[in-house]
């Protein structure tokens, strides 16, 4: 009997369709299907060096190598450090040149096994190598399992901004082994909850209530809570991406909290010691609610509920209280203009209209934004 869950994500216009498999020790459950896809092909496995050394049989990368090697003699492995500072042109170039050296061809398969950094850089390499290679996402962090591995966004950071260079390139499959979550450092686990909470805030009030009610069991990783919320998050994301792959409309809602969050990450040079992506998003979400309250789009009560749930999941809700970080609000303001949603020099904010409802707003006055940032960052 199968105990995994499966979501088919498909573009309404028919340009892509692929499965997301979710379950414990999932690779063994779908081994046949997985092996069929890579049989006799050249396989390039890019994995998070967090899993090094991989010489023990119980190591997840070692187990994966064994399964791959049963159906192909051509497997090359590349460990990559999963820091956001590594998601850059140099690392991309070095990975691409290594894969070209080993004669990657159009029939090859790239497998990314790791967190968001690994999936984003490996997926981007797959999108540009030989004008597009098939790749399989095997996310190992909560954040990657609920967000970055699904939907085909790939890319790297530059000094000017986060994820500004990239491509939409959908994976052939997403394979989510929920048992890997227990290997995560706690900080990484908590960071993933920011994206989960985000889904509830943008479109699902009942899901918000579920998270608020069950947070203790979720944090204790009681079954089936964590698996259920990974499934629910992937389902919400799949529905949104199916309607709007290239972010021409509703997909922009998935950026709730990211406009501010990305600006902080870039200004802090993507140093994970200061802030990791999920923490930046958590702060950004709270800021979006506080800004909405100022604009009379949501109530003070909503702001308090959101700040509370963010704290319950052990995430920061305010930049000036987080690790004593000192930022210049004018620099943050300038950085906001690197956001991909800027059109004709105008900022677009994803703002909540209460819990479970979101809008886009692109007509805020500069002074409103500057005053708000000054309050958030300096006062
Ligand atoms: N992480 C936001 C998106 O995939 O659109």
């Amino acid at each position: 009997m199968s105990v995994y869950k499966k979501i088919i994500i498909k573009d309404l216009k028919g340009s892509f369709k692929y499965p997301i498999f979710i379950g414990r020790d999932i690779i063994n459950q779908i081994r046949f299907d997985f092996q069929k896809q890579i049989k006799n092909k050249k396989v390039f496995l890019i994995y998070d060096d967090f899993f090094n050394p991989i010489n023990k049989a119980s190591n997840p990368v070692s187990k994966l190598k064994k399964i791959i090697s049963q159906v192909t003699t051509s497997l090359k492995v590349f460990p990559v450090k999963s820091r956001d500072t590594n998601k850059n042109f140099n690392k991309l170039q070095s990975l691409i040149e290594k894969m070209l050296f080993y004669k990657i061809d159009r029939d090859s398969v790239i497998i990314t096994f790791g967190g968001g950094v690994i999936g984003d850089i490996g997926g981007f390499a797959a999108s540009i190598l030989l004008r597009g290679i098939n790749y399989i996402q095997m996310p190992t962090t909560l954040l990657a399992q609920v967000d970055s591995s699904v939907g085909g966004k790939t890319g790297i950071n530059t000094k000017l901004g986060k994820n500004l260079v990239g491509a939409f390139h959908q994976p052939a499959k997403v394979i989510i082994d929920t048992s890997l979550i227990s290997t995560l450092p706690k900080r990484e686990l908590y960071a993933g909850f920011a994206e989960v909470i985000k889904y509830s805030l943008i479109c699902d009030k009942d899901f918000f209530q579920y998270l608020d009610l069950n947070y203790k069991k979720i944090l204790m990783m009681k079954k089936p809570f964590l698996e259920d919320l990974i499934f629910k998050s992937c389902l919400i994301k799949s529905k949104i991406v199916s309607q709007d792959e290239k972010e021409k409309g509703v997909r922009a809602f998935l950026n709730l909290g990211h406009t501010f969050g990305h600006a902080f990450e870039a200004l802090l040079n993507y140093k994970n010691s200061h802030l990791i992506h999920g923490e930046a998003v958590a702060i950004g979400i709270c800021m979006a609610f506080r800004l909405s309250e100022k604009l009379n789009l949501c109530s003070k009560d909503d702001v308090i509920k959101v700040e509370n749930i963010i704290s319950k999941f052990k995430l920061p809700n305010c930049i000036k209280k987080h690790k004593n970080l000192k930022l210049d609000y004018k620099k943050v303001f300038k950085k906001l203009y690197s956001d991909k949603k800027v059109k004709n020099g105008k900022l677009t904010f994803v703002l909540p209209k209460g819990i479970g409802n979101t809008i886009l707003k692109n007509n805020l006055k500069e002074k409103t934004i500057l005053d708000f940032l000054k309050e958030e960052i300096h006062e």
Side-chain angles (χ1 to χ4, degrees), residues 147 150 153 198 237 247 251 254-255 258:
D147 183 27
V150 174
K153 276 191 182 174
K198 174 193 81 179
K237 180 147 188 191
E247 204 170 297
R251 186 163 183 172
L254 294 173
N255 287 320
H258 287 61

Short mmCIF file of all heavy atoms in Angstrom, two decimals, residues 147 150 153 198 237 247 251 254-255 258, ligand 1:
data_model
loop_
_atom_site.label_atom_id
_atom_site.label_comp_id
_atom_site.label_asym_id
_atom_site.label_seq_id
_atom_site.Cartn_x
_atom_site.Cartn_y
_atom_site.Cartn_z
N ASP A 147 8.25 25.43 -0.87
CA ASP A 147 8.22 26.59 -1.77
C ASP A 147 9.15 26.46 -2.97
O ASP A 147 8.71 26.23 -4.09
CB ASP A 147 8.54 27.86 -0.97
CG ASP A 147 8.46 29.11 -1.81
OD1 ASP A 147 7.72 29.11 -2.80
OD2 ASP A 147 9.15 30.11 -1.49
N VAL A 150 9.08 23.90 -5.99
CA VAL A 150 7.85 23.79 -6.80
C VAL A 150 7.65 25.06 -7.62
O VAL A 150 7.78 26.16 -7.09
CB VAL A 150 6.63 23.60 -5.86
CG1 VAL A 150 5.32 23.63 -6.63
CG2 VAL A 150 6.77 22.30 -5.07
N LYS A 153 10.90 28.30 -10.55
CA LYS A 153 11.75 29.49 -10.49
C LYS A 153 13.17 29.04 -10.18
O LYS A 153 13.39 28.34 -9.19
CB LYS A 153 11.28 30.45 -9.41
CG LYS A 153 10.17 31.37 -9.85
CD LYS A 153 9.95 32.45 -8.81
CE LYS A 153 8.81 33.36 -9.21
NZ LYS A 153 8.48 34.33 -8.15
N LYS A 198 2.98 32.15 5.17
CA LYS A 198 2.66 33.03 4.02
C LYS A 198 1.48 32.50 3.22
O LYS A 198 0.56 33.25 2.88
CB LYS A 198 3.91 33.14 3.13
CG LYS A 198 3.69 33.89 1.84
CD LYS A 198 4.84 33.68 0.87
CE LYS A 198 4.73 32.36 0.12
NZ LYS A 198 5.82 32.15 -0.84
N LYS A 237 0.50 26.20 -3.60
CA LYS A 237 1.44 26.76 -4.59
C LYS A 237 1.15 26.22 -5.98
O LYS A 237 1.19 26.98 -6.97
CB LYS A 237 2.88 26.46 -4.17
CG LYS A 237 3.86 27.03 -5.19
CD LYS A 237 5.16 27.50 -4.64
CE LYS A 237 5.93 28.23 -5.73
NZ LYS A 237 7.30 28.50 -5.35
N GLU A 247 4.35 34.65 -13.52
CA GLU A 247 4.10 35.77 -12.59
C GLU A 247 3.60 37.04 -13.29
O GLU A 247 4.14 38.13 -13.10
CB GLU A 247 5.38 36.07 -11.79
CG GLU A 247 5.07 36.75 -10.47
CD GLU A 247 6.26 36.84 -9.55
OE1 GLU A 247 6.77 35.79 -9.14
OE2 GLU A 247 6.69 37.95 -9.26
N ARG A 251 0.53 34.96 -9.23
CA ARG A 251 1.76 34.40 -8.63
C ARG A 251 2.50 35.45 -7.81
O ARG A 251 3.23 35.11 -6.88
CB ARG A 251 2.67 33.80 -9.72
CG ARG A 251 3.86 33.09 -9.12
CD ARG A 251 4.57 32.15 -10.05
NE ARG A 251 5.65 31.48 -9.35
CZ ARG A 251 6.36 30.49 -9.84
NH1 ARG A 251 6.13 30.04 -11.05
NH2 ARG A 251 7.32 29.94 -9.12
N LEU A 254 2.59 35.35 -4.06
CA LEU A 254 3.54 34.49 -3.34
C LEU A 254 4.74 35.28 -2.83
O LEU A 254 5.58 34.76 -2.10
CB LEU A 254 4.02 33.34 -4.24
CG LEU A 254 2.97 32.32 -4.67
CD1 LEU A 254 3.55 31.35 -5.68
CD2 LEU A 254 2.45 31.55 -3.46
N ASN A 255 4.83 36.53 -3.28
CA ASN A 255 5.94 37.38 -2.82
C ASN A 255 5.61 38.17 -1.57
O ASN A 255 6.36 39.06 -1.18
CB ASN A 255 6.34 38.36 -3.92
CG ASN A 255 7.06 37.67 -5.04
OD1 ASN A 255 7.87 36.78 -4.81
ND2 ASN A 255 6.75 38.03 -6.26
N HIS A 258 8.33 39.35 0.68
CA HIS A 258 9.63 39.20 0.00
C HIS A 258 10.24 40.52 -0.46
O HIS A 258 11.45 40.62 -0.61
CB HIS A 258 9.49 38.26 -1.20
CG HIS A 258 9.33 36.81 -0.81
ND1 HIS A 258 8.26 36.36 -0.05
CD2 HIS A 258 10.10 35.71 -1.05
CE1 HIS A 258 8.38 35.06 0.14
NE2 HIS A 258 9.49 34.64 -0.44
N1 LIG B 1 8.67 31.72 -4.17
C1 LIG B 1 7.73 32.45 -4.92
C2 LIG B 1 7.37 31.82 -6.21
O1 LIG B 1 7.78 30.70 -6.49
O2 LIG B 1 6.67 32.41 -6.99
#
